[in-house]
Amino acid sequence: MKKLLLSLSVILSAAAASAQVIVAGVSPQNIVANYTHTWADPAGGWGTPDFNIPNTFVEDTLMIVDDGSTGTNAQGNPVSAEGCNPLINNLTGKIAVIYRNTCEFGAKALNAQNAGAVGVIIVNRNPGEVIAMGAGANGANVTIPVVMLDLNDGQTLVAEMANGPVVV
C-alpha cells in the first residue's frame, strides 16, 4: 500500500482563548479541505490526548487495518478493516484507518494502538454523518488520538491512499 500522510492538527485561535480542533487535508490538491469530524474527547472516558491543548497533534502515514477476518460487511468494505480483533499488520508509526461497523470504538482503537499506530481515523458507515464515539470498555486505555470522518470524506482518503503519499 502506498504512503498517505495524515495530519491531525490543532490550531490555537488568535481571536479566542480556546483551541480549534481540525482534521485538514494538505496535499495533493484534490484532498485539500478541513474535514468534518468528531474526536475521542478525554472528557468522554477516553485516555486520548486533549486536542484542546495547543500544539497537540499527530502527523504520519495512513494505513488500513487488517485483523485477518474474511468477507465484506453490509457496506461492501472488508470485515478485516473493521479492526475488531487483534491486528495482523504492523502499524508502527502509522495512523490507522478503520471502518465503523460491528464492535466498540474503544476496541478498534486499542487494537490499532497495540499494533503500533500513532493515531486512528474511523470512517463512519453513513455519508454526511459523524457521531460522538463512546469509549466503551477499552477507551480509557487508548492513549493515541482517535477521530471519526463521515463515509464520503473517509472514502476520499482511502481512494487517495492507492495513488501515493498525501498530507492531510
Side-chain angles (χ1 to χ4, degrees):
M1 180 173 299
K2 297 196 178 187
K3 291 183 180 178
L4 177 64
L5 297 178
L6 178 71
S7 170
L8 302 175
S9 302
V10 175
I11 298 174
L12 180 63
S13 172
S18 64
Q20 176 184 354
V21 181
I22 65 168
V23 175
V26 178
S27 171
Q29 187 61 40
N30 62 321
I31 59 98
V32 171
N34 285 340
Y35 295 107
T36 301
H37 67 283
T38 57
W39 61 293
D41 188 341
W46 289 87
T48 56
D50 186 348
F51 280 130
N52 287 311
I53 298 171
N55 297 316
T56 302
F57 68 95
V58 65
E59 178 179 308
D60 220 308
T61 306
L62 288 185
M63 178 180 262
I64 295 178
V65 303
D66 182 0
D67 71 7
S69 299
T70 59
T72 56
N73 62 24
Q75 293 77 39
N77 300 313
V79 173
S80 62
E82 292 179 12
C84 293
N85 299 302
L87 304 180
I88 62 172
N89 55 338
N90 181 356
L91 293 168
T92 301
K94 307 283 192 260
I95 296 173
V97 176
I98 305 173
Y99 288 105
R100 175 185 178 203
N101 210 25
T102 57
C103 62
E104 291 182 354
F105 299 118
K108 295 172 180 291
L110 187 59
N111 285 336
Q113 178 177 288
N114 289 343
V118 296
V120 171
I121 295 174
I122 295 176
V123 178
N124 198 4
R125 61 181 172 228
N126 302 320
E129 175 187 80
V130 292
I131 63 170
M133 294 180 289
N138 297 299
N141 299 316
V142 176
T143 60
I144 60 176
V146 180
V147 299
M148 175 185 280
L149 299 181
D150 87 312
L151 178 63
N152 296 332
D153 289 341
Q155 286 178 326
T156 297
L157 292 179
V158 170
E160 192 57 41
M161 290 170 71
N163 296 326
V166 177
V167 177
V168 291

